[in-house]
Amino acid sequence: MTMTKTAAVAVALATAPGLPTVFTTGFISRIGAVSAQRNHFYMTGSMGLALSLGTGIALSSGRTTLVVDGDGSLLMNPVGLIMAGARQDLPLIQLVLDDGVYDSTGGQCSPGRSVDLPAWARACGFSRTHTVDSEEGLEKTLRSELENLGAPVFVHCLVTADTTPPPPRVTDHLEGITARFSEFLQPQT
Amino acid sequence: MPHETGTERPTSSESAVYEGLTANGFGPFFGTPCGVLAPLLSLLETGADYHVVAREDNAVGVAAGASLAGAAPVVLMQNSGFGQSVNALASLVVPYRIPMLLVVSMRGTPPDTTTENLPMGRLTEPVLEGLGIDYEYLTGEGAARQMELAGSVVKEKRQPFAFLIRPDEFAWKA
């Protein structure tokens, strides 16, 4: 069974709607930005820092935060796993969409074929790791973890690169993303 | 003028900086250890919401998240780590206008003559200027006033700001 990256993003957003959500650099941000939600942060640059950004959001807001990362991004900078994995009280789901390629730069193979990403997460302290390869599996895993999130969760999601052209680039008005997302995160009074 | 008696010690530079940071509502603090900053990091470790981060650009990333959630975070690093963080600042903090305070120790500037730090010692200020991040050298004497200024830049103007720390500002010796 296979699922495309776009299908995986759709399942994640439908299963975990309204959470503060960080999308990593490249097509994942573009796919997320189609829906342009106020609870979304599209991180168009700083490849590799999506998990660190999500960690800061979860740490300071106390809200369950979803990070939609990619295999290339995590391979570029896995250091974020160290801080997230060390905090058993961190309300965070790290969803890694692994298509094995750098889709947004032309589909070059990533050097991660021999890397066991969930094992990296476990080695850094993540006690809850999963590997899924279908829309049903992803939905079931997210739903059950969200019901009772007791520790940071790592979901390794095997996907195929999309065959349809990617959505357009995320807006150039990046300050606007910050303003909208910060407002969304403001404590309700 | 502060006076010394047998029991009172003059306020140290790191204490003045620590007081200034906490008095102006800064925090949480994210730091990657540095010998120059060590006295200040010790104070933060015991008295503040301080987190050690293994790599400086990740510290910038976590601080960016805290800032989006409404905090006024501080990232403490050596300028070697500032070099490591240039892309995080250039493609996240600056274009998204995410306010935070950077405290950067200036290895490779007098009296630090260690060869491996000299190029970054020369580069730190020009890179900050290229990024458009305002900065000042921080001193213990000026800390109270300087931290107030930094507070207004970060919390009211919603811009990043950097303090540079001379190698001998605290207790470091070449």
Side-chain angles (χ1 to χ4, degrees):
Chain A
M1 204 181 296
T2 61
M3 87 182 115
T4 63
K5 200 184 300 176
T6 296
V9 170
V11 169
L13 297 186
T15 313
L19 299 186
T21 303
V22 176
F23 295 80
T24 193
T25 324
F27 287 175
I28 288 177
S29 261
R30 293 206 206 180
I31 292 165
V34 171
S35 62
Q37 297 292 309
R38 55 198 287 273
N39 57 311
H40 290 180
F41 189 91
Y42 312 114
M43 194 190 76
T44 55
S46 57
M47 183 165 166
L49 291 184
L51 174 55
S52 293
L53 190 64
T55 298
I57 293 164
L59 203 60
S60 281
S61 71
R63 294 171 69 167
T64 298
T65 301
L66 174 66
V67 177
V68 187
D69 215 341
D71 54 326
S73 296
L74 187 59
L75 290 165
M76 181 174 276
N77 188 343
V79 171
L81 291 171
I82 297 171
M83 188 170 180
R87 301 195 62 99
Q88 288 308 304
D89 58 347
L90 191 72
L92 179 137
I93 297 177
Q94 160 80 345
L95 172 63
V96 180
L97 306 185
D98 183 356
D99 60 4
V101 297
Y102 295 95
D103 205 7
S104 64
T105 58
Q108 301 88 347
C109 282
S110 92
R113 276 290 167 226
S114 57
V115 178
D116 184 344
L117 294 176
W120 277 10
R122 284 192 292 276
C124 291
F126 280 79
S127 58
R128 312 215 38 94
T129 65
H130 306 269
T131 298
V132 296
D133 63 357
S134 67
E135 293 178 41
E136 296 73 19
L138 176 59
E139 184 187 339
K140 201 174 145 206
T141 297
L142 290 177
R143 205 173 287 289
S144 103
E145 286 291 2
L146 282 166
E147 257 171 39
N148 186 18
L149 196 75
V153 173
F154 185 96
V155 182
H156 184 215
C157 181
L158 302 173
V159 297
T160 56
D162 288 286
T163 50
T164 49
R169 286 185 186 280
V170 173
T171 172
D172 285 332
H173 185 47
L174 302 179
E175 285 185 21
I177 294 176
T178 299
R180 186 176 67 183
F181 187 71
S182 299
E183 198 191 327
F184 163 75
L185 281 180
Q186 269 182 9
Q188 306 298 317
T189 49
Chain B
M1 284 287 284
H3 63 279
E4 289 183 61
T5 69
T7 53
E8 284 178 34
R9 288 163 57 85
T11 305
S12 65
S13 179
E14 65 268 21
S15 300
V17 170
Y18 173 80
E19 296 296 330
L21 285 167
T22 49
N24 285 283
F26 282 108
F29 300 87
F30 303 101
T32 307
C34 159
V36 172
L37 298 177
L40 175 59
L41 298 179
S42 296
L43 293 174
L44 291 169
E45 266 168 18
T46 51
D49 184 11
Y50 173 75
H51 308 261
V52 183
V53 184
R55 205 175 117 132
E56 293 86 350
D57 58 345
N58 293 86
V60 170
V62 179
S67 181
L68 291 169
V74 182
V75 181
L76 302 110
M77 61 170 85
Q78 189 171 106
N79 57 346
S80 52
F82 171 77
Q84 183 79 275
S85 304
V86 169
N87 184 53
L89 296 166
S91 69
L92 179 65
V93 170
V94 170
Y96 281 86
R97 193 170 168 184
I98 299 176
M100 67 178 63
L101 178 62
L102 309 174
V103 177
V104 181
S105 66
M106 292 295 284
R107 295 299 306 270
T109 64
D112 176 19
T113 56
T114 49
T115 312
E116 70 276 18
N117 289 307
L118 296 177
M120 202 60 223
R122 292 192 297 272
L123 277 167
T124 305
E125 290 185 53
V127 171
L128 279 166
E129 282 157 22
L131 287 166
I133 296 177
D134 288 340
Y135 63 91
E136 273 188 11
Y137 275 87
L138 183 63
T139 65
E141 294 152 9
R145 175 192 60 76
Q146 290 183 291
M147 286 297 170
E148 225 179 283
L149 164 78
S152 74
V153 173
V154 171
K155 290 190 275 189
E156 286 155 39
K157 284 175 69 186
R158 314 287 305 158
Q159 296 278 10
F161 188 79
F163 280 129
L164 305 183
I165 310 284
R166 290 186 180 83
D168 55 353
E169 182 62 41
F170 303 143
W172 187 84
K173 295 222 166 20

